[in-house]
Amino acid sequence: MRNAGADMIAYLRALIDAKRGSPDDDMLSALVLATDEGDRLSPDELISMAFLLLVAGHETTVNLIGNGALALLRHPEVRERLAADEALWPAAVEEFLRYDGPVTNATWRFTTEPVRVGSVVIPEGEFVTISLGAAGRDPRRYEAPDRLDITRPRTAGLAFGHGVHHCLGAPLARLEGHVVLSRLFARLPGLRLAVDAGELRWRGSLMMRGLEELPVFTA
Ligand code: HEM
C-alpha cells in the first residue's frame, strides 16, 4: 500500500504540474486555478483533493454497479418489475445502496468525550468507525431488512454518510448507478450469473464492499 500510495502521489504531482503549465477544460485544471480571496490550494492540498475525488468517486460507484447488478441477477422478480416500469429505477438504486452498499464502514472518527453505545462506554479520544453496512440492515429501522424490496418506504439511509462529511458525489453516484444498471439490463436481457453466488469472491477491504469479479453469461 505504501508503494502504491507513493506512486500515485508522484503521478498526481506530475499531472498537476502539467495542468498548471497548460490548463485544459477539466476538473483538475479548475482546481489548480481555483482561488478563494487570493488563496490557492497548495500542491499538497491539490494532491490530496485529487486523490480523494478519484478514490471516493471511482471505487464506490464501481461497487454500487457491481453489487447492484449482483442483487438483480439474484432477484429475477425485481428485474421483471424494473423492466415493466422504468420509473422504479431511482427507488431501486436507493435499495441497492441500503441492501448491499459499496461503503461498509465510514472513515475514522475520534470521540471527544466518553460515549455510551449499548452496554459499552467508549472513552474520550478513542478511534471509532461506523458500520454503514449494519445500519442499512438495522431491523429497528427497516422491516425485513435482509429482503431486497424496491418498493419499501423511502427513508434517508446512511450509505452516503451523515452530517458535514455527507458524500459530495451522491447525486452523481445515484445517476451513474441508474444509467449504467438500467442500460445494462435493457441491452442484455439474457444476463445471468456464470457461477454459483457462493463462489463469488469479495474484496478484502475494511471500508469497501465489492466483488473481485462478477462472471456472467450475456445470453
Ligand atoms: C455509490 C457511490 C458512493 C458512495 C456509496 C459514497 C459514500 C460516501 C460516504 C459514506 C462518505 C462519507 C464518509 C465518512 O463520513 O466517513 C462519502 C464522502 C465523500 N464522497 Fe462519496 N460515495 C459515492 C460516490 C462518490 C462520488 C461519485 C464522488 C465524487 C465524484 C464522491 C466524493 C466524495 C467526497 C469528496 C467525500 C468527502 C466529503 C467530505 O468529507 O466532506 N463520492 N462518500
Side-chain angles (χ1 to χ4, degrees):
M1 274 173 76
R2 198 175 293 133
N3 292 342
D7 286 354
M8 190 71 185
I9 288 169
Y11 167 75
L12 288 173
R13 199 179 292 282
L15 192 60
I16 286 166
D17 284 348
K19 297 289 177 191
R20 190 175 282 116
S22 53
D24 215 336
D25 180 23
D26 57 51
M27 192 184 65
L28 201 51
S29 301
L31 284 172
V32 169
L33 297 175
T35 54
D36 183 16
E37 294 175 5
D39 186 21
R40 283 180 185 278
L41 290 171
S42 71
D44 282 351
E45 285 169 338
L46 274 170
I47 288 171
S48 112
M49 184 61 77
F51 209 126
L52 171 67
L53 286 170
L54 208 70
V55 176
H58 177 72
E59 283 219 40
T60 49
T61 312
V62 165
N63 294 323
L64 168 63
I65 292 165
N67 300 357
L70 175 63
L72 284 177
L73 291 169
R74 298 183 72 185
H75 293 86
E77 71 291 354
V78 176
R79 206 166 145 181
E80 276 165 30
R81 287 198 72 163
L82 286 164
D85 185 358
E86 287 250 319
L88 289 172
W89 270 104
V93 170
E94 293 310 307
E95 180 66 349
F96 300 145
L97 286 161
R98 180 200 70 80
Y99 179 76
D100 208 359
V103 182
T104 332
N105 293 303
T107 53
W108 304 338
R109 301 292 194 275
F110 296 88
T111 50
T112 54
E113 57 186 51
V115 181
R116 173 176 287 279
V117 180
S119 59
V120 176
V121 176
I122 304 169
E124 180 186 333
E126 276 296 329
F127 141 71
V128 290
T129 178
I130 310 287
S131 171
L132 305 179
R137 300 281 186 117
D138 185 347
R140 285 168 302 180
R141 185 152 181 108
Y142 301 102
E143 198 194 320
D146 296 336
R147 195 175 65 219
L148 181 74
D149 177 2
I150 61 173
T151 59
R152 67 172 67 241
R154 282 248 211 123
T155 50
L158 282 188
F160 288 113
H162 179 71
V164 285
H165 293 287
H166 183 269
C167 179
L168 180 81
L172 176 63
R174 289 185 161 110
L175 186 66
E176 287 181 83
H178 177 170
V179 171
V180 174
L181 288 168
S182 62
R183 290 304 91 204
L184 178 70
F185 283 90
R187 280 189 198 170
L188 300 170
L191 202 67
R192 62 199 160 89
L193 268 179
V195 295
D196 280 344
E199 287 173 38
L200 292 169
R201 284 177 296 115
W202 294 88
R203 296 181 42 189
S205 163
L206 274 182
M207 206 173 184
M208 294 287 166
R209 163 89 176 154
L211 292 159
E212 292 277 359
E213 56 181 19
L214 180 59
V216 289
F217 292 121
T218 52

